[in-house]
Amino acid sequence: MQNNFEEKNISFLNEKNQEINISCNEKINLNLVDNFDGELTIFLQKDSICNLRIFYKENKNSLVLRTFLSENAELNVYFADFSIGNSSLSANSILYGNEAKSTFKYSSISKNNDAKNYHISFSHIGEKTISNLEGYSVNMNESKLKVEGVSHIEKNSIKSKAHQKIKGILFDKESVAIANPILKIDCDDIEASHACAIGSLNDNHLFYLLSRGLPLKDARKLITFGYLNPIVEYFDEKDKEELKTIIEREFN
Amino acid sequence: MDVLEIKNLHVSVEDKEILKGLNLTIKKGEKVALLGPNGHGKSTLLNAIMGNPRYKVTQGEILLNGENVLEMKVDERSRKGLFLAFQNPVEIPGVISADFYKSALQEHSEKRMSLYQFYKVLDNASQEVKIPFEMFNRALNDGFSGGEKKRNEILQMMLLNPKIAMLDEIDSGLDVDAINTVSECINKQYEKENTGFLIISHYARLFELVKPTRSAVIINGKVVLEGGPEVYKRIDKDGYERIKDELNISIENDNEKTMNQVSIGVCATKEIIKNAK
Ligand SMILES: Nc1ncnc2c1ncn2[C@@H]1O[C@H](COP(=O)(O)OP(=O)(O)OP(=O)(O)O)[C@@H](O)[C@H]1O
Ligand SMILES: [Mg+2]
C-alpha cells in the first residue's frame, strides 16, 4: 500500500484478547486473516495512521474491535468477509482527539443459509472528526445479513462529519439483508448523511451487458465482481488473488 | 442478405400499449432515419427488438433473416447481429470497460482471442471515437461525460460489428466535433460492412452527415409514413403538424382518446404503410 508503513500480522492463536498501541507519527498496516474469535483493541496516538485489513476466509469468525483515536489520528479498516458459515463483527471507533478520522469499508458475500452480523459504530467526541462507513454485500441461497451502522456525534464535536453508505444485492427471494443506519446527532454544526440501497441486481445494468452478447451467468458474475471489487484494491497481491478466486468460485 | 422485419408489432409497458401494430423492414445496406414526436414509441421499438424485458410484446413478429427474434434471449439477439446504442447508457460501478468488451467480443467470435489482439482492436476503435485508451481501464461509463458515453456506444458498435445497428439519439448531448466524429464512425462502418442502420434522431444535422437512404415516421405507436430522405428534411422544416394533418391523424395525448382510424392521405412520392385492421 503506501510507503513507509510497517507491516504486521496479528494472530489470535495464543490469546483471546489483544491490545495494540500505535505511537505518535507511527504508520502501520495490520493484517488479520481467519481463525479468530476474540477482541482486538487499538490505541492510535497523535498523528498516527493505521490501515487494518481483515479477511474472513474459511472458518467461522467473530471479532470485537475497539479503537481509540487521538488527535489527527487516522484509522482505515478494510473488511472482506468471504467466509463460509456464520460470522460476526462488532467494531467501535471512539474519535476523542480533534480531527481524528475513521473509515470502515466492507465487502461481504453470504450464501447457503449463512447468517452474518455486523455492528459498526463511531463515537465522535473531538472537534472536526470524520467517520465514514461504506459497505457492499451480496446475498445468495437463502442467506441472511444484518448490518447496523451507528454514528453518534456528541455535544461538543463541532464541525464533525459522519457518512454512511450501505449497499446490497439479493440474488434470490429467500435471502434477507437488513441494513440499519442510525445517526445520533447531539450537536448543530455538523455534516451527516446516510444512504442505503438493498435490492436485486439492477435490471438496466443486466440488460445492458446481455445486449452486448454476454450470457446471463457471465453478466451476473461481472456485475457482482464489479460490486465487490473495490475492497480488493486495499489488500496485498497475495490476498487480492485469493479474493478474486473466491468471487469467481461463487459463480462456477 | 440480412433483413430485419417487424410485422404488426404490439408492445406494452406497464400494461399501457405503446406500439399498436407497427410494421417496418430494414435491410443490410439501408440507413433508415426513424423520426417521431416525443413519447410516441421510438425507443420502445428499439428496446422491444433488443429484448428488454420491461417491454412486453403482446402481438406481432420480429424476424431476422426469417428467424424468430422474439424467441431468442437478449444475448443471443446480440450474437445474431443486432446492436442497440442506448438513448441513456448506464454506468455500471466496478465493471471495468476493457474486461467487459473483451468478454463481449469473445462471445461474438468463434476463435479464441488473445489479449494482444483484443487490445489492438480496442486501441484502433478508441482512436476512431477519440476516447483515450486509458479510459477503458475504468468502470463502465463511470465518470464519463454525456458525450463520452455516446461515443462509447459507437465504439462498442464498431467492436461488435453488427448486421443491424440501432442508434437511439446517438447525437443528443454531443458537441459539434463529437457529432462529426460519431457520423464518421457510422459512415466508415457502413462503407466497410454495409451494415443496416436504424437511426433515431430529432435533428437533421446528424442525418445530413450520415445520409439516410430512407425515412420512417412513428406516430401513436405505428409507422405512419415511409419515404426517402426528403421526409426527414420536411419534418425538420415543418414539424409534425403538416404530416399529421395530411394523414388525418390526431396525435394522441395521455388522456385515452381513441385514435382516429388512420386514413391514408395522398402523398404521391411516399409509400405509406397500411395500418393493421
Ligand atoms: N420503462 C418505461 N416505464 C414506463 N413507461 C415507459 C417506459 N418506457 C417508455 N415508457 C412510455 O412509453 C411511451 C413511449 O416512450 P418512448 O421512450 O418509446 O418514446 P420515444 O418516441 O423514444 O420518445 P423520445 O423522443 O422522447 O425519446 C412514453 O409515454 C413513455 O412514458
Ligand atoms: Mg426515445
Side-chain angles (χ1 to χ4, degrees):
Chain A
M1 209 175 275
Q2 296 100 324
N3 293 328
N4 318 320
F5 275 69
E6 189 195 335
E7 290 281 339
K8 191 174 169 189
N9 297 321
I10 306 168
S11 136
F12 279 91
L13 286 181
N14 300 320
E15 48 209 314
K16 249 188 146 344
N17 300 324
Q18 301 237 7
E19 241 178 60
I20 292 174
N21 187 33
I22 302 172
S23 17
C24 294
N25 290 308
E26 200 180 345
K27 297 175 181 174
I28 189 164
N29 289 332
L30 299 175
N31 301 304
L32 197 55
V33 180
D34 261 348
N35 276 321
F36 45 81
D37 175 10
E39 292 185 19
L40 173 64
T41 307
I42 305 176
F43 297 95
L44 286 95
Q45 303 301 343
K46 190 165 177 282
D47 300 321
S48 63
I49 304 179
C50 172
N51 295 313
L52 170 63
R53 306 162 181 145
I54 308 170
F55 189 1
Y56 282 13
K57 250 192 320 201
E58 298 290 345
N59 306 302
K60 292 178 185 176
N61 291 293
S62 170
L63 175 71
V64 176
L65 174 69
R66 282 185 245 280
T67 54
F68 297 86
L69 284 76
S70 176
E71 201 177 322
N72 201 36
E74 178 181 332
L75 170 72
N76 301 303
V77 181
Y78 306 112
F79 173 42
D81 186 354
F82 291 6
S83 62
I84 296 162
N86 302 340
S87 66
S88 72
L89 178 131
S90 163
N92 173 244
S93 210
I94 298 186
L95 299 101
Y96 67 89
N98 294 344
E99 297 183 52
K101 193 176 168 218
S102 178
T103 298
F104 192 105
K105 295 192 183 191
Y106 71 83
S107 279
S108 148
I109 302 181
S110 317
K111 52 193 184 279
N112 310 332
N113 298 302
D114 290 355
K116 304 200 166 183
N117 255 303
Y118 311 142
H119 178 91
I120 299 138
S121 61
F122 304 91
S123 305
H124 292 254
I125 298 168
E127 296 176 9
K128 299 185 187 163
T129 51
I130 300 176
S131 71
N132 265 307
L133 168 62
E134 191 181 324
Y136 298 89
S137 64
V138 170
N139 280 73
M140 326 190 219
N141 332 98
E142 306 179 31
S143 57
K144 284 192 184 62
L145 170 72
K146 191 174 169 205
V147 184
E148 192 163 65
V150 183
S151 308
H152 185 186
I153 303 188
E154 299 200 14
K155 206 167 65 212
N156 297 318
S157 185
I158 54 166
K159 298 204 169 4
S160 287
K161 296 178 184 174
H163 297 289
Q164 295 190 21
K165 190 165 101 184
I166 298 175
K167 294 180 118 190
I169 299 180
L170 301 171
F171 266 90
D172 53 290
K173 291 208 170 62
E174 289 71 33
S175 287
V176 185
I178 300 167
N180 202 1
I182 300 166
L183 299 173
K184 289 191 217 167
I185 317 266
D186 297 322
C187 180
D188 288 338
D189 187 11
I190 58 103
E191 191 186 300
S193 73
H194 64 79
C196 173
I198 300 217
S200 50
L201 218 56
N202 185 314
D203 289 341
N204 293 329
H205 293 177
L206 205 54
F207 178 61
Y208 191 94
L209 298 188
L210 296 173
S211 81
R212 303 304 192 228
L214 265 66
L216 183 61
K217 195 174 113 194
D218 295 13
R220 292 176 107 188
K221 182 162 121 183
L222 206 58
I223 294 175
T224 312
F225 201 91
Y227 195 77
L228 297 173
N229 205 30
I231 200 80
V232 174
E233 68 179 288
Y234 299 107
F235 284 77
D236 60 21
E237 287 308 319
K238 189 176 130 282
D239 287 339
K240 258 184 202 167
E241 284 313 309
E242 204 165 343
L243 285 162
K244 286 184 182 172
T245 317
I246 294 176
I247 302 175
E248 288 277 339
R249 190 182 64 199
E250 297 311 326
F251 288 87
N252 292 330
Chain B
M1 183 156 71
D2 298 317
V3 53
L4 178 68
E5 295 167 282
I6 296 130
K7 297 180 184 168
N8 186 30
L9 192 68
H10 290 250
V11 176
S12 296
V13 185
E14 285 165 9
D15 293 332
K16 185 178 162 205
E17 185 163 72
I18 308 292
L19 299 186
K20 304 165 183 177
L22 184 143
N23 296 290
L24 188 66
T25 299
I26 306 125
K27 297 196 182 98
K28 193 180 168 113
E30 284 188 326
K31 284 179 278 190
V32 181
L34 188 62
L35 301 103
N38 293 132
H40 278 245
K42 300 180 298 298
S43 298
T44 300
L45 172 64
L46 268 49
N47 274 284
I49 295 172
M50 206 66 227
N52 189 331
R54 275 192 199 187
Y55 298 78
K56 304 259 181 302
V57 175
T58 53
Q59 209 184 318
E61 278 185 299
I62 304 176
L63 304 171
L64 180 63
N65 299 330
E67 280 188 88
N68 185 353
V69 171
L70 294 174
E71 275 179 359
M72 300 174 193
K73 291 194 177 124
V74 179
D75 51 317
E76 201 180 338
R77 298 181 194 202
S78 163
R79 291 194 297 269
K80 292 270 184 187
L82 295 175
F83 179 87
L84 169 58
F86 288 87
Q87 183 167 358
N88 301 304
V90 291
E91 293 180 19
I92 311 187
V95 172
I96 306 300
S97 310
D99 294 349
F100 161 46
Y101 299 162
K102 175 144 198 314
S103 309
L105 204 52
Q106 191 59 68
E107 291 298 332
H108 283 258
S109 51
E110 265 131 48
K111 280 181 282 172
R112 192 96 211 130
M113 195 174 209
S114 76
L115 206 57
Y116 172 75
Q117 285 169 319
F118 168 69
Y119 275 106
K120 233 175 88 178
V121 175
L122 182 60
D123 189 27
N124 281 336
S126 75
Q127 287 179 28
E128 302 261 13
V129 296
K130 304 202 171 97
I131 297 180
F133 189 69
E134 306 80 65
M135 304 257 292
F136 301 109
N137 289 321
R138 305 213 311 233
L140 185 74
N141 287 331
D142 191 14
F144 278 37
S145 73
E148 284 166 347
K149 284 181 191 168
K150 295 297 182 116
R151 279 184 281 155
N152 206 5
E153 296 290 288
I154 289 295
L155 174 124
Q156 293 174 61
M157 175 197 80
M158 296 193 306
L159 291 179
L160 300 181
N161 186 22
K163 290 177 178 148
I164 306 285
M166 305 179 283
L167 313 179
D168 197 348
E169 298 194 21
I170 196 68
D171 54 339
S172 72
L174 291 185
D175 65 39
V176 184
D177 294 337
I179 291 189
N180 289 334
T181 305
V182 161
S183 21
E184 276 165 29
C185 292
I186 295 171
N187 292 337
K188 262 187 206 160
Q189 175 72 26
Y190 181 77
E191 279 152 30
K192 215 170 69 196
E193 305 286 344
N194 216 17
T195 306
F197 278 95
L198 184 56
I199 305 172
I200 298 177
S201 176
H202 289 295
Y203 305 104
R205 180 176 204 113
L206 177 74
F207 293 143
E208 293 297 333
L209 291 164
V210 302
K211 309 219 175 325
T213 56
R214 286 204 289 134
S215 309
V217 183
I218 295 186
I219 295 180
N220 298 341
K222 291 182 187 187
V223 172
V224 295
L225 179 61
E226 283 191 272
E230 68 284 354
V231 174
Y232 83 75
K233 287 180 182 156
R234 228 185 92 196
I235 288 171
D236 187 51
K237 204 162 118 272
D238 301 340
Y240 292 103
E241 290 299 315
R242 289 269 303 269
I243 291 194
K244 206 187 70 183
D245 291 345
E246 276 180 29
L247 296 174
N248 192 21
I249 307 170
S250 68
I251 295 193
E252 280 181 357
N253 296 321
D254 270 349
N255 49 7
E256 299 267 297
K257 270 188 286 180
T258 39
M259 198 178 109
N260 293 348
Q261 203 59 42
V262 175
S263 64
I264 296 160
V266 190
C267 209
T269 54
K270 285 137 213 161
E271 177 203 352
I272 295 168
I273 289 290
K274 291 213 167 72
N275 293 282
K277 284 183 211 166

